[in-house]
Amino acid sequence: LADDTIVIFASDQQSDGKWTCYEGARVPLAIRWPGHIEAGRVDHALVSSVDIAPTILDLCGVDRGDGITPAIDGRSIALLTRGETMPERPVLIEMGYGRAVIANGHKYIAIRHPPEVANRADETGETPDFLGRFGAKRDAEQMRRRWPAYGRPDQLYDLRNDPLEQRDLAGDPVRADTLAAMRAVLREALDPLPHAFGEFKEAAATSSGERKRAAVNAKPDSPTQVSAHPNVLFIIADDQGYSDFGFTGNPLVKTPALDRLAAESAVFKNFVVAAACSPSRSAFYTGRDHLLTGVWGVPPRANLRRDEALMPAFFQAAGYETLYVGKGDMARLPDSTPWDRGWDDAWTVGGYQHRDPKMPHRHGTEQFTGWTADIMTDLILKFLRDEPRGKPWFVTAAFIIPHLPFQC
């Protein structure tokens, strides 16, 4: 079973930098498939959350099909898992009134608050956060202790020499050409999107952004050939940051199971997700920019559009059994539960019920007693042990740990 199963592990973001465009959007990604993916290989290529769906479909030999709309933004990185190289593509990060782009070893952040927020900031001297909020919850002085340039409208970082984004180079005359180039990269990245953003993008009057995108529907650069479809276990952690693992060098946090998984996997150390959980997960499942999927933040701003094509639906069409267990943060619309969107069944948990969860599923709701992570694991193990199966499976394990509140 282990040799016939692809295991993907990722986090949806890290708590340090959440709700900003800073370094909190970088987390590790591990992909394990014995005999197909080299164990212990570390890759520093720039990879994005929108690349997850096309990569998993490609590795499994599952065709998304021609003419599927909406078109996807990501690309398969199966070549990278085989030790080959691919041209780098810029990665866009969006949060509130902030946009950031990563390219060529640099990050450029632009913050463009609307007039009412900017006017209040000018009148009071307060610094709004990326969502345009004022007040103690996002105390600017506290944030500046972590990111000294917090609140500046234009920021530039050399990620090769300053990965924690401590030295803003936007005002350095020597970096003027780099700043101009990165602004151009951001403008190009925003062009297909329908949303206005400062001087970079006017609001699209029609859905031309969507039509532009249709020509970019991703196909694998080198399709993976498989003799039989492998199983897939997609594990998602919640708020587990880049430094929250033994395999990334944390001497205090003990993660022996994940350390072993990383040692058996190809690990991508420049994997960039969104700055909040629901946007990252919508990108994971659709391969699309989260702003286009109807997921702009967390509930109530996380209503995944009904016309979005989700990865599990393609596995269903290929004859897979599909199961979802865990965080249910994009099921706020009628007919938009996981079992409506491509998973045969699902056990979901709302909020952060770390103990004694009440879990809706396809046939009702069940009250459990115990730690939610243990209950989720038991539900998945029960599914895997049910015999005979006779066909491959795709299982999503969307844990709600280690997100606050911490309980032990």
Side-chain angles (χ1 to χ4, degrees):
L1 179 64
D3 289 345
D4 294 332
T5 301
I6 300 173
V7 179
I8 303 97
F9 173 83
S11 181
D12 58 12
Q13 89 274 313
Q14 57 177 308
S15 57
D16 187 24
K18 188 174 182 177
W19 297 106
T20 76
C21 290
Y22 289 113
E23 201 263 343
R26 187 171 67 103
V27 296
L29 167 69
I31 306 178
R32 176 191 184 276
W33 191 11
H36 299 267
I37 294 175
E38 180 185 354
R41 197 175 64 79
V42 176
D43 198 301
H44 295 276
L46 188 59
V47 180
S48 170
S49 52
V50 297
D51 298 329
I52 290 289
T55 299
I56 297 176
L57 292 169
D58 183 14
L59 288 173
C60 294
V62 173
D63 188 7
R64 190 176 186 269
D66 293 315
I68 299 294
T69 56
I72 61 176
D73 304 304
R75 62 175 178 173
S76 170
I77 58 166
L79 287 176
L80 297 180
T81 70
R82 300 196 288 266
E84 301 179 46
T85 60
M86 297 177 69
E88 181 179 288
R89 297 202 309 179
V91 171
L92 178 67
I93 303 171
E94 304 129 331
M95 178 46 61
Y97 300 112
R99 301 289 184 271
V101 68
I102 302 173
N104 303 317
H106 288 81
K107 177 189 274 188
Y108 168 63
I109 299 175
I111 304 172
R112 300 294 186 266
H113 287 116
E116 61 272 19
V117 176
N119 290 340
R120 175 175 167 179
D122 290 340
E123 292 169 1
T124 65
E126 297 178 87
T127 300
D129 69 3
F130 278 78
L131 298 179
R133 301 176 300 186
F134 296 86
K137 185 175 182 180
R138 292 284 173 176
D139 180 75
E141 290 307 314
Q142 178 182 350
M143 298 298 282
R144 286 194 186 97
R145 286 193 288 271
R146 176 63 182 85
W147 293 283
Y150 181 81
R152 294 178 189 169
D154 295 275
Q155 302 168 41
L156 177 68
Y157 298 97
D158 179 348
L159 297 180
R160 296 187 183 97
N161 297 306
D162 181 25
L164 298 182
E165 301 163 9
Q166 298 298 292
R167 297 184 296 278
D168 175 20
L169 304 174
D172 184 350
V174 175
R175 306 285 184 142
D177 289 345
T178 302
L179 177 62
M182 292 298 290
R183 285 174 56 87
V185 172
L186 177 59
R187 183 174 288 106
E188 183 176 357
L190 294 176
D191 182 60
L193 302 178
H195 311 89
F197 184 73
E199 71 275 22
F200 293 92
K201 177 68 192 295
E202 295 181 357
T206 68
S207 58
S208 59
E210 288 291 290
R211 289 197 295 272
K212 283 183 185 179
R213 208 167 274 279
V216 194
N217 204 346
K219 283 284 188 180
D221 291 331
S222 179
T224 299
Q225 301 299 319
V226 294
S227 56
H229 293 309
N231 306 307
V232 178
L233 175 60
F234 183 21
I235 305 170
I236 307 172
D238 196 345
D239 270 20
Q240 192 162 12
Y242 185 87
S243 61
D244 296 337
F245 305 89
F247 69 85
T248 57
N250 193 309
L252 302 176
V253 177
K254 306 301 181 186
T255 55
L258 292 174
D259 295 349
R260 188 179 76 175
L261 175 63
E264 298 172 351
S265 304
V267 175
F268 295 86
K269 291 200 166 183
N270 271 323
F271 178 54
V272 179
V273 295
C277 53
S278 300
S280 292
R281 292 163 191 259
S282 71
F284 289 162
Y285 304 143
T286 66
R288 283 168 42 83
D289 185 291
H290 66 87
L291 290 179
L292 293 174
T293 69
V295 179
W296 308 324
V298 299
R301 298 181 180 86
N303 294 321
L304 188 65
R305 284 174 24 173
R306 293 188 183 92
D307 62 350
E308 291 296 329
L310 271 62
M311 173 170 49
F314 299 105
F315 280 102
Q316 271 187 333
Y320 275 69
E321 287 188 71
T322 57
L323 175 70
Y324 184 97
V325 179
K327 185 172 182 177
D329 59 349
M330 290 180 295
R332 301 304 173 110
L333 294 176
D335 303 322
S336 194
T337 60
W339 49 88
D340 294 314
R341 306 305 296 267
W343 286 279
D344 296 326
D345 202 356
W347 296 80
T348 64
V349 56
Y352 293 97
Q353 304 173 60
H354 290 298
R355 279 192 67 91
D356 305 331
K358 183 179 291 186
M359 300 182 71
H361 57 96
R362 190 180 193 101
H363 305 292
T365 300
E366 188 164 343
Q367 177 70 59
F368 290 90
T369 301
W371 291 106
T372 302
D374 292 338
I375 293 163
M376 287 179 54
T377 302
D378 289 342
L379 289 168
I380 293 169
L381 290 175
K382 181 180 183 304
F383 170 85
L384 298 182
R385 289 167 178 158
D386 280 348
E387 296 292 346
R389 173 145 279 108
K391 58 169 123 177
W393 44 262
F394 172 80
V395 172
T396 306
F399 288 95
I400 60 173
I401 53 174
H403 193 290
L404 291 168
F406 295 137
Q407 290 181 304
C408 58

